[in-house]
Amino acid sequence: MAHQAGGQRSAPRPVPDTCDTQAYLQDYGALLEYMSCPSLVVDHQWNVVMANRAFEALFGGVRPHPTAMPGENFLRFVLFHPDAGEILGEHEPAWCLPMLAQLRTALESYGHDQELQAVRREIAQDPIMEAAYRHGLPHWIRAVGEAATRLDGAVRLLHHPDPRHGRTECRIVEEAPQALRELGYRRLTMVLRESRRPAAPARRPRRARGAASHLTAVPAPEV
């Protein structure tokens, strides 16, 4: 099966135990390795079921984090890892808000899911992220439309560590072949586009490990 980027998991994700399903997933992982673009398969909790070497190359340099490694849970990485903004360009408006919308949709379908609820509780512990989820997200959706919450087809900025790509854009392509869909999985591929040539703006300094994740795009609630 394809690589797990960003470090080893503490425990493997459950995999259906039928021979046909295991064989299909093994072959699907081999297919991912033929792709030159970062690609991953996630479940409804955003746990990464498999990811290819191109994904590993994009995110392999991030620092260790106890709960938010990109090869373990991509939702948690986007929202909580202090290095996420180093790779995901325009991190807050282009990645955090759409992923908060994805979380909201998942909670509507799987309201009692313990892992999704744990993410929701972690958001609630940060006043700025809570304000983003409760107030900023609805305002953003009203301003840009529901279509902006969908990942498929979205064009996003990346800061690729490979200088051959550098500051570039990717188009996210979401697919769910029937066999994956029946397992509750879907594949996301970041199709890299031609690199942007102008110099990148100054990035925010890295947060110290363990520092709170604040969304500066959403003002703090008044007290």
Side-chain angles (χ1 to χ4, degrees), residues 120-162:
R120 181 66 185 92
R121 287 192 300 271
E122 195 165 340
I123 289 171
Q125 292 169 4
D126 184 314
I128 302 301
M129 293 197 75
E130 179 68 3
Y133 187 83
R134 292 175 61 87
H135 307 294
L137 181 61
H139 174 76
W140 175 73
I141 292 173
R142 287 194 298 270
V144 301
E146 285 282 349
T149 68
R150 294 192 289 270
L151 297 180
D152 185 39
V155 176
R156 298 287 183 257
L157 180 64
L158 292 175
H159 300 291
H160 202 293
D162 187 333

Side-chain angles (χ1 to χ4, degrees), residues 22-45:
Q22 288 182 336
Y24 177 85
L25 291 177
Q26 184 175 356
D27 291 341
Y28 202 87
L31 172 66
L32 291 190
E33 288 303 336
Y34 281 101
M35 302 182 65
S36 60
C37 295
S39 190
L40 68 161
V41 174
V42 298
D43 63 15
H44 75 274
Q45 299 168 330

Side-chain angles (χ1 to χ4, degrees), residues 89-98 204 207 214-218:
E90 300 171 349
H91 177 234
E92 295 175 6
W95 295 91
C96 283
L97 286 171
R204 294 175 299 167
R207 299 186 183 100
H214 292 305
L215 290 177
T216 57
V218 179

Side-chain angles (χ1 to χ4, degrees), residues 63 81-86 201-209 211-212:
R63 292 172 290 175
H81 199 295
D83 293 350
E86 293 291 311
R203 300 183 192 175
R204 294 175 299 167
R206 286 189 173 192
R207 299 186 183 100
R209 189 168 68 183

Side-chain angles (χ1 to χ4, degrees), residues 33-96:
E33 288 303 336
Y34 281 101
M35 302 182 65
S36 60
C37 295
S39 190
L40 68 161
V41 174
V42 298
D43 63 15
H44 75 274
Q45 299 168 330
W46 285 89
N47 293 318
V48 178
V49 177
M50 64 181 75
N52 64 4
R53 287 188 180 89
F55 182 91
E56 186 176 49
L58 180 59
F59 296 104
V62 302
R63 292 172 290 175
H65 189 283
T67 63
M69 293 303 289
E72 296 183 1
N73 187 289
F74 195 68
L75 172 67
R76 282 184 166 276
F77 171 73
V78 173
L79 297 181
F80 302 132
H81 199 295
D83 293 350
E86 293 291 311
I87 300 170
L88 306 176
E90 300 171 349
H91 177 234
E92 295 175 6
W95 295 91
C96 283

